[in-house]
Amino acid sequence: MLEELGISGGTAIIVLFALYFIVKWAVKNGVKEAYEEITGKEIKDDLDEILEKEAAEKRGETMIEFVKAGTSDALVINGISKRSFESDVEVGAPNKGGPSGYMSIKFHTKMARSNHLYKLIVDGFIIGGAILFIDGDRLTIGRIFISPEHHRKGYGVYMMQEIERMFSAAKEICLDTPVWNIRTNSFYQKLGYTEYKRDREIVYYTKRMR
């Protein structure tokens, strides 16, 4: 029949694929319009992602993800960084402070632009961040930080596991932390990081990856 109409098999397949995507688009937009009408919420993000989040909320699950941050996230991440590092006075810091740029929006914006800034999102809210540098098969964790009210909830372990998973091609991961920081030194050791040197202020850790 197709030959009688002058349509080749290849053309027919292309037409069917086109119709499939048109129907799929139409159905998805119809669902989107119905969702907005029923809930009164305007959908700006991906519908599948929204529905997945709502289903998780109904199940009482926590939605958590660790992804690259953009420049628009710099302000929020900067605030979290400031509060996180200044809370170190509770674990041995001589005074309130942090690493270079820890409370600089300009610094975090620069890190985002150069693809070094990452964010930890829980139930749609940013609660932590990380600055990572990859050089060949070596990954350097410049810093990780979590909002103080979310400390001791397992998010730090999750973030480190995600970093190792995301950069699984790295043969070595390096990081450092202050000598006085009881919390972070114990944390990294429990995650399998080994001290390879130290000076009066900093302890340097490494972890060989498989």
Side-chain angles (χ1 to χ4, degrees), residues 40-82:
K41 300 177 183 177
E42 182 181 354
I43 296 178
K44 296 181 180 179
D45 300 316
D46 184 73
L47 178 60
D48 292 335
E49 185 178 337
I50 292 173
L51 294 175
E52 183 182 343
K53 286 181 179 178
E54 292 199 350
E57 288 175 2
K58 289 178 181 178
R59 294 193 300 267
E61 296 177 1
T62 297
M63 291 293 293
I64 179 170
E65 57 183 337
F66 180 71
V67 295
K68 215 170 251 189
T71 54
S72 61
D73 300 313
L75 179 62
V76 172
I77 292 175
N78 183 72
I80 293 171
S81 171
K82 181 179 185 300

Side-chain angles (χ1 to χ4, degrees), residues 102-178:
Y102 85 99
M103 55 181 291
S104 166
I105 298 173
K106 183 178 179 180
F107 170 77
H108 288 101
T109 300
K110 180 181 178 181
M111 289 297 100
R113 281 182 181 148
S114 54
N115 295 314
H116 297 308
L117 186 64
Y118 289 74
K119 59 185 176 180
L120 178 66
I121 306 172
V122 175
D123 290 334
F125 296 95
I126 299 174
I127 69 160
I131 296 177
L132 311 174
F133 303 93
I134 186 72
D135 182 14
D137 55 10
R138 174 173 173 159
L139 173 70
T140 298
I141 300 178
R143 67 193 64 168
I144 68 168
F145 46 90
I146 294 172
S147 189
E149 62 268 28
H150 293 290
H151 285 175
R152 294 176 288 277
K153 294 182 179 179
Y155 295 129
V157 173
Y158 172 84
M159 186 149 50
M160 290 296 291
Q161 290 174 340
E162 281 298 288
I163 290 171
E164 293 181 7
R165 182 189 64 79
M166 291 171 71
F167 296 91
S168 58
K171 292 182 180 178
E172 181 183 19
I173 300 178
C174 298
L175 55 87
D176 59 66
T177 194

